[in-house]
Amino acid sequence: MLHDPAPRRPLSPGELWGGIGLAALLFGLFIADTLLPFEPRKLAFPLVLLFWAPALVVHECGHALVAKLVGWRVTQMVLGMGPELVRFRVGETQVVVRALLAEGYVTPAPKRAGSARLANALVYLSGPGAELLVAAVIALAWGWDPFFVRSDDYALLVSQSAALALTIGAVTNLIPHSMAGAPNDGMGILMSAGLSPHHFDYRLSLPAQREVERALHAGQLAHAREVAVRETTPHPDNAHLALLGVRVTAAEGDTDGAIAQLEALRERAPRNPLVEAELLHTAALIALGSGDPELLGRALHAVRSAIDAGGPAASYLATLGALLFEQGRMDEAFEALQQAYKGTRDPLLEDHCVAYLALVTRALGRTDDHARFARELTRRGTHEHLRRRLADGSV
């Protein structure tokens, strides 16, 4: 019995085309209302909608540009929500474009240890700031007074609509609130003053974590080791980076060595909730990779302790779901993986959830859902070892 009343799952071809058909119908009715009878000023609202996607690009590029200017790294930019359309790289930044260009985010990280509160606030401010700057430039190009009048001039209508879309995007992002548990720009600016150096130590490690995680999923152990050594050497006191070496040692098959490294790190690591949660989560990942039934039981306790220490982060819930799957507790595994899948916007973690959800839904006999997740996993082309398990029918 699955208790999630609204599971997240990839769209079936029928649902996809049904959604496209419904959208086309609504769009057609909207066009008919605009054209009958037609007045140029009726185009203002559809033009605002049309410019929402370019405004989103301006917003996220503003974040990325200022992050670079303050000396930070930008490892990821996600544009849109819903099904993923394409992913590509621009330098060190992975860009992911999704179907509905209604929201987005970037993943910036400092290059140096220690506090970076002002830089963090500036990076948050730069997205709305870029939108307001472009809107002001458009208005000033027309002249301030002529710009703020109703008109049937097409060029002016287009400019007004673009500026309005940019301004709405900026203002809504500056009003402090949270989205999917993450602070928006306004909330992020306010929170920056209270962030501890431990927070920035963790943020500093994120690009390396992402690169190592990607290499491990692709089976590129030598590259994963190279990244772990390269990133840890300049920051020997960063426990989050040190844990990457532990992860690689476990992936190389040296479970005992990884456990010994983890215990040694636990003795010298700073005592704070972020580090404690990551230590526990890494212990769970070591056990998951080992396949040892005795370690798997202890890993469940470790990952639940990580959730208690650091909160129900999507990565912890995804690991919990994978461990429950390995122990044959399929209903619980589905619930944990669904929570992780719904709670993350990280494409790499989504790949992990999709892979295990394909295995879980097959074990539960949910044929349609399994077909969707398996098809989505094939499209993403990740998690080769789990795709092999799907192909040979092993659970």
Side-chain angles (χ1 to χ4, degrees):
M1 179 66 181
L2 303 180
H3 304 292
D4 191 343
R8 181 183 175 188
R9 59 187 186 182
L11 296 176
S12 69
E15 288 173 335
L16 177 61
W17 286 108
I20 292 173
L22 179 60
L25 174 62
L26 293 174
F27 183 72
L29 293 173
F30 183 77
I31 292 297
D33 180 67
T34 301
L35 296 178
L36 301 172
F38 175 71
E39 293 179 312
R41 65 189 60 187
K42 279 189 172 183
L43 294 174
F45 181 66
L47 283 171
V48 169
L49 296 180
L50 181 66
F51 280 113
W52 195 263
L56 174 67
V57 175
V58 169
H59 182 102
E60 302 307 335
C61 286
H63 284 310
L65 177 60
V66 170
K68 292 285 189 180
L69 290 175
V70 299
W72 286 25
R73 302 167 68 178
V74 179
T75 59
Q76 184 171 243
M77 177 187 292
V78 177
L79 300 172
M81 56 191 296
E84 181 181 316
L85 299 181
V86 64
R87 66 173 75 178
F88 56 92
R89 298 191 73 81
V90 179
E92 69 174 353
T93 306
Q94 182 184 65
V95 180
V96 178
V97 181
R98 299 186 183 276
L100 184 59
L101 291 173
E103 64 174 37
Y105 69 95
V106 299
T107 307
K111 291 182 180 179
R112 295 179 296 276
S115 179
R117 297 185 183 98
L118 178 58
N120 193 68
L122 289 173
V123 172
Y124 270 115
L125 179 62
S126 59
E131 290 180 291
L132 292 174
L133 177 62
V134 174
V137 168
I138 294 172
L140 291 172
W142 281 90
W144 204 253
D145 291 333
F147 187 74
F148 292 97
V149 297
R150 297 186 67 181
S151 171
D152 286 332
D153 180 271
Y154 288 108
L156 182 56
L157 273 171
V158 169
S159 299
Q160 288 173 328
S161 300
L164 182 58
L166 289 159
T167 303
I168 291 173
V171 171
T172 54
N173 275 284
L174 285 172
I175 298 172
H177 62 277
S178 296
M179 299 181 297
N184 79 326
D185 294 329
M187 182 68 75
I189 294 168
L190 295 177
M191 292 175 58
S192 294
L195 295 176
S196 70
H198 297 309
H199 171 86
F200 294 107
D201 286 345
Y202 173 70
R203 293 272 294 278
L204 182 149
S205 72
L206 289 179
Q209 287 186 33
R210 189 176 301 280
E211 192 171 354
V212 167
E213 194 78 28
R214 189 178 293 114
L216 291 178
H217 286 320
Q220 300 168 347
L221 300 184
H223 178 62
R225 173 63 69 186
E226 176 189 345
V227 173
V229 171
R230 182 189 71 215
E231 297 293 337
T232 304
T233 301
H235 308 285
D237 297 327
N238 189 308
H240 303 286
L241 287 172
L243 284 169
L244 298 181
V246 179
R247 291 281 310 280
V248 176
T249 299
E252 291 169 340
D254 186 2
T255 302
D256 292 338
I259 293 173
Q261 290 178 24
L262 185 65
E263 291 302 322
L265 182 59
R266 186 186 296 275
E267 292 297 321
R268 70 175 192 272
R271 301 286 82 169
N272 70 75
L274 271 175
V275 171
E276 185 63 28
E278 287 298 304
L279 287 166
L280 291 163
H281 185 223
T282 301
L285 289 171
I286 292 171
L288 179 61
S290 74
D292 185 323
E294 181 180 348
L295 287 179
L296 287 175
R298 292 161 57 187
L300 273 177
H301 174 73
V303 76
R304 285 186 169 126
S305 297
I307 292 171
D308 291 339
S315 58
Y316 300 166
L317 291 170
T319 300
L320 175 63
L323 287 166
L324 290 166
F325 165 77
E326 299 295 346
Q327 292 197 336
R329 297 159 65 174
M330 299 303 172
D331 287 351
E332 295 172 82
F334 182 89
E335 288 192 19
L337 289 164
Q338 274 287 299
Q339 287 184 59
Y341 194 26
K342 287 181 177 182
T344 185
R345 298 187 295 176
D346 181 350
L348 195 62
L349 187 56
E350 284 186 344
D351 293 347
H352 174 92
C353 293
V354 167
Y356 270 101
L357 281 165
L359 291 165
V360 169
T361 50
R362 183 180 65 184
L364 289 166
R366 295 174 61 95
T367 306
D368 290 343
D369 285 343
H370 166 67
R372 297 178 192 208
F373 285 115
R375 183 171 56 247
E376 177 69 7
L377 179 61
T378 300
R379 186 186 70 80
R380 290 171 180 255
T382 60
H383 289 65
E384 176 63 30
H385 65 296
L386 295 179
R387 283 192 283 131
R388 285 198 299 269
R389 291 177 70 171
L390 279 174
D392 65 21
S394 62
V395 175

